[in-house]
Amino acid sequence: MPPDGAPGVASLAALLQHRAAAQPEERAYVVLSDRGEEAASITFAALAERAAGLAAEIAGRAAPGERALLVCPNGIDFLVGLFGCVLAGVIAAPLMPPRRHAARDAGDAIVADCAPRLALAPAALMAGDLVNRFAADLEWLAVDGAPARPLDGSPPRAGSGRDIALLQYTSGSTSAPKGVMVSHADLIANLAMIAQAFGNTSASTCVSWLPLYHDMGLILSALQSLYVGALGVLLAPVAFLQRPLLWLRAIGEYRAEVAAAPNFAYDLCVDRYRKEAMAGVDLSGWRLALNGAEPVRADTLRRFAATFAPHGFAEDALYPAYGMAEATVLVAAGRRGEGPRLRAVSRAGLSRHRVLPPRGEGDAQEIVGCGRALAGEEIAIVDPDGRRRLAAEAVGEIWVAGANVAAGYWRNPAASEAAFAACIAGEDGQKWLRTGDLGLLDRDGNLFVTGRIKEIVIIRGVNHYPQDIEHTIAGCHPALRRHGGAAFAAADARGEERLVVVQEVERTWRRRVDPEALVARIRAAIVAAHDIVPQAVALLRPGALPRTTSGKIQRTLARQLWLEGRLDRLF
């Protein structure tokens, strides 16, 4: 069956109107409770009518082009709020609902950056202390308080084309959050690319726990479902983190074809696997298990496929991909059903940014292909210093050009010029997006991502990828929390860069381990696998490492907290 979509639509407003007219009584979204039961649902027509009613309220309080914070949990209210902003011509700025007593929160920086006129949230959330967490002069509007009204024609204030639809704030894994200006054209272009790459149709039900304030949850999952007219099933992120098998049970129950998550989520499902909890779950309908948003590990793919094969999961459904907010969301992907592409290379060669065959078992490192450039897009591998295009099989910075690349960062011309207006030396002056990520293209155009430029650990002139060191650490003892470590460089007393690693310990092991023996094991594992001796190894309490809203470790912030002595050490 060819991919479905919404041909001819030029904006999110037009997309919503198209779905409301074409499939008015079909369910657009279903929201599940923390126990996996249906808690709410909405049809395409009802979504449009609620959004139109909210748009009328927004239009009376904010002018076109002004910003509105969208502070809603995962669910229908979030989508009503987003489309209410779209229909009113107001720019939505999705924001994670603040956590109580959170020590580190990007919300204040986002509010200061986008200077919102309004804030939208459910009435129940506003009744708590949410309002007091923000500026006193910010006007609040209950996203669930406006009466529904018919969506007759295209609302006169609805944004279109190059108008900004939303500010997608970057996760801030290496710097302060910046608001990517995502236009309607960017969204529609990338949604069409995703539908073609995935082979999605109106039968491609998607189940997602990913936060809707993040591009992977909002665009790749929720808006892609709307684009092809498929059912979107939503869980709360915390429900997944507490009971990851709920996600898989929902995939089986709704016969979902598509579900996406970062690499750590697949590991978490394996770690929490219980045969009795998966009794009767059939995953044979899951045809596209996207793994992205952080480095994809070959052993994660194998463990997941082996663990859930008895429940009908097919290995060729594994679908590594690559994307980023600056390119709306998706940059590279494979074909449905072709399975992951794995490749063994020399660890020593990779440390010198060269792709060579392994010299032996101890030198072998597997890298995972993340697909190819999407239709209407180009990927180049470029020397980040000389800005010259590199040949196939060479490691360099990943650059992207295409209709899905955003115009820049909100009110940040210097950062926009540096990231979105790069030119390849000796070529025609085309503008490219510099991703800040390192990778290579093989001779068939497959992209392999190897790390981030800013996070490379350089010890005595040799490059080391922090995620590889962190992976080594997590595998050397069961007490060490998977995806709970950070490796970075810090200067010693003589000013020489040395390796520092900080690692969370699982709660169940805190009183069962000998800390000195555990640190010794970590040191030995790093020396054996990477031939470097860490200057310092610190064991941390669970949850002590700073993470982005999408769960990525913030290595730069972890380094800063380490230098300031503010990481919560266990011993």
Side-chain angles (χ1 to χ4, degrees), residues 386-412:
R387 301 197 177 194
R388 293 192 173 277
R389 187 189 292 263
L390 299 175
E393 303 293 330
V395 176
E397 186 179 5
I398 302 167
W399 288 23
V400 182
N404 54 318
V405 174
Y409 298 116
W410 177 256
R411 292 180 176 173
N412 196 335

Side-chain angles (χ1 to χ4, degrees), residues 96 99 102-106 543-547 554 557 561 566-567:
M96 178 181 70
R99 293 167 290 184
R104 295 178 289 272
D105 196 330
L545 273 179
R547 290 173 169 80
Q554 293 178 293
L557 181 53
L561 295 173
R566 294 197 292 129
L567 281 176

Side-chain angles (χ1 to χ4, degrees), residues 549-562:
T549 57
S550 58
K552 299 177 188 175
I553 297 296
Q554 293 178 293
R555 296 186 185 93
T556 302
L557 181 53
R559 180 181 184 275
Q560 178 184 334
L561 295 173
W562 161 265

Side-chain angles (χ1 to χ4, degrees), residues 332-357:
R335 297 187 183 91
R336 181 187 287 217
E338 70 179 1
R341 186 182 295 265
L342 309 180
R343 182 173 177 183
V345 298
S346 165
R347 186 191 302 274
L350 205 57
S351 71
R352 300 190 300 275
H353 297 329
R354 298 177 62 192
V355 180
L356 302 169

